[in-house]
Amino acid sequence: MRIKNAGLVLACCTAVAALAASPAGAATSTLPSPSVSAVLDVQKQAMANGAPGALTRIDSGSSSYRIASGQADTVARTAMDADRRFRVGSVSKSFTTVVLMQLAAEGRIDLEAPANAYLPQPLPDDRITVRHLLSHRSGLWDYTNDMFYYTVPGFEEVRNKVFTYQELIDLSTAHQPTNAPGAAYSYSNTNFVVLGALIENVTGVPMATHYQQRILTPLNLRNTTYVHPQTAISGSYAHGYLRDDDTTLPLVDSTEQTVSWAQSAGAVISNASDLNRFFSALVTGKLVPAAQLQQMMTMVPVNADGTQSYGLGLRARKLSCGVTVYGHTGTVQGFYTYAFTTADGKRSMTSMANTSNNGTVNTVLGGTLEAAFCGTTAKATTLKTTEDETFTEDIAPQIVRH
Ligand code: HEL
């Protein structure tokens, strides 16, 4: 791995990029080179729209690009850098899926079986299978729709709370389901909380131990932790800043929280280097056997033009240059994340902006995918500038979150 510091310093941004020769490898060599200047443009726009800072790391063949802008800590006025750790939100769902798929490969869980066969307390509908949970087709209501209806009060209410899985599941099942099992895709954190409960019940082993033994230790991911319900992030990390619904109010430092409201659906802490290594290892078959990987990567479109799709705990995005990348997005108070890799795992990119409840920043940050994999400036980056035009992936249109 070559990492050179090119030390490009702009008014708002510091780019540390490895501008090495073309990376080796068939698929990456057919991709356009990543555009560091396009990444910087995106980061600059994210900051212009309210993010204190942003980071991007691209690992492409033997080259690494580490690009960061703005601040990791607005009080200490510490500069952002691309190595910092952060809360990855729903990128955690891909980690949980790896654990589940390993157990499936070991013959301990059948994806077609009713989830109730494995749960300590049954769900109200026996027809919900493990596969429905992994693909967000169970119809289980997303309890976070209610929990975070009012953004900052909702967050402060749960920031130090410790939930059992069952308490979260009960919040969901107090609502009617969104659809009959299998009938529709409806993204819900509940699915991956149920999967955490299911994995722990079948194995008698906590999720933290599964992540460590099945993923973090084998891949040597030393910046990745699952410390629920501890509230602090250790090591070198970025602070997260949550925007109030009243956007005239100052950002709230939301770094410290239990993330107990998400657990196996969203409580992993990591950094860009580790996430790139994780997704590259995943798609190259280093974490789950080929049969399970093929199922994870079998995608069903979830938007109108088919550019976005969902497999099992895994998203795919088709980009403007024709390449499809695999990974996940994450939103947790104070942090937006995109972590994706090519099908051959030879080019991977993770981007993070340290704010949330700001759809414009999330949409803009998605432009780093185009910059990293297509070498171009994304349409979204240049066009989406107002709140009205933003798209928050998978928050159902009928759900109003204030
Ligand atoms: S939402 C998503 C994203 N996923 C889902 C999960 C995750 N994150 C959450 O459910 C967090 C919800 C509250 C976030 C909060 C904010 O912006 O910090 N917003 C509010 O409180 C709004 N009132 C589908 C976007 C994913 O990309 O998969 O992560």
Side-chain angles (χ1 to χ4, degrees), residues 88-91 93 136 142 144-145 147-152 154-155 187 189 242-243 245 254 261-262 265-266 310 315 328-337 355-358 362 392-395 400-402:
V88 308
S90 287
V91 180
K93 291 183 170 74
H136 293 292
D142 191 341
T144 64
N145 292 331
M147 195 175 263
F148 301 127
Y149 190 87
Y150 297 106
T151 304
V152 171
F155 169 63
Y187 188 100
N189 287 305
L242 177 62
R243 192 173 74 159
D245 298 326
S254 51
W261 60 267
Y310 208 91
R315 292 189 187 281
H328 218 289
T329 46
T331 300
V332 62
Q333 289 83 5
F335 303 99
Y336 285 128
T337 302
T355 196
S356 70
N357 197 35
N358 183 333
N362 198 17
T392 305
E393 192 154 15
D394 281 336
I395 291 191
V400 182
R401 287 184 173 190
H402 294 284

Side-chain angles (χ1 to χ4, degrees), residues 88-297:
V88 308
S90 287
V91 180
S92 311
K93 291 183 170 74
S94 301
F95 284 73
T96 299
T97 304
V98 165
V99 174
L100 190 294
M101 295 308 265
Q102 288 190 6
L103 292 167
E106 292 160 17
R108 299 167 78 181
I109 293 175
D110 175 359
L111 266 49
E112 315 315 329
N116 282 348
Y118 304 112
L119 287 169
Q121 272 187 251
L123 298 169
D125 193 329
D126 273 334
R127 296 171 301 169
I128 296 173
T129 65
V130 178
R131 186 183 292 280
H132 292 150
L133 298 169
L134 288 164
S135 55
H136 293 292
R137 301 181 79 84
S138 69
L140 288 169
W141 170 260
D142 191 341
Y143 57 85
T144 64
N145 292 331
D146 315 317
M147 195 175 263
F148 301 127
Y149 190 87
Y150 297 106
T151 304
V152 171
F155 169 63
E156 295 296 359
E157 177 74 23
V158 299
R159 137 181 234 159
N160 292 304
K161 270 203 180 148
V162 180
F163 293 97
T164 63
Y165 291 123
Q166 194 58 45
E167 283 168 338
L168 297 171
I169 294 167
D170 289 346
L171 292 175
S172 164
T173 56
H175 284 265
Q176 287 301 307
T178 51
N179 50 267
Y185 170 83
S186 181
Y187 188 100
S188 173
N189 287 305
T190 312
N191 293 316
F192 280 75
V193 165
V194 173
L195 288 167
L198 186 155
I199 290 168
E200 291 195 1
N201 193 50
V202 167
T203 62
V205 172
M207 282 309 295
T209 308
H210 282 299
Y211 291 140
Q212 192 64 50
Q213 293 180 346
R214 293 172 178 273
I215 304 172
L216 311 186
T217 300
L219 296 184
N220 196 21
L221 302 184
R222 281 184 286 188
N223 283 295
T224 307
T225 53
Y226 182 82
V227 292
H228 172 264
Q230 287 173 45
T231 56
I233 306 179
S234 62
S236 172
Y237 63 90
H239 283 243
Y241 297 95
L242 177 62
R243 192 173 74 159
D244 200 283
D245 298 326
D246 176 350
T247 58
T248 64
L249 292 176
L251 297 176
V252 173
D253 187 330
S254 51
T255 314
E256 302 217 339
Q257 64 155 316
T258 59
V259 205
S260 196
W261 60 267
Q263 301 187 52
S264 46
V268 168
I269 294 165
S270 190
N271 76 352
S273 169
D274 276 10
L275 291 183
N276 284 354
R277 195 164 345 147
F278 168 71
F279 281 113
S280 177
L282 173 62
V283 299
T284 53
K286 296 184 181 70
L287 287 170
V288 297
Q292 279 69 33
L293 181 60
Q294 197 253 330
Q295 295 187 59
M296 284 181 75
M297 293 178 75

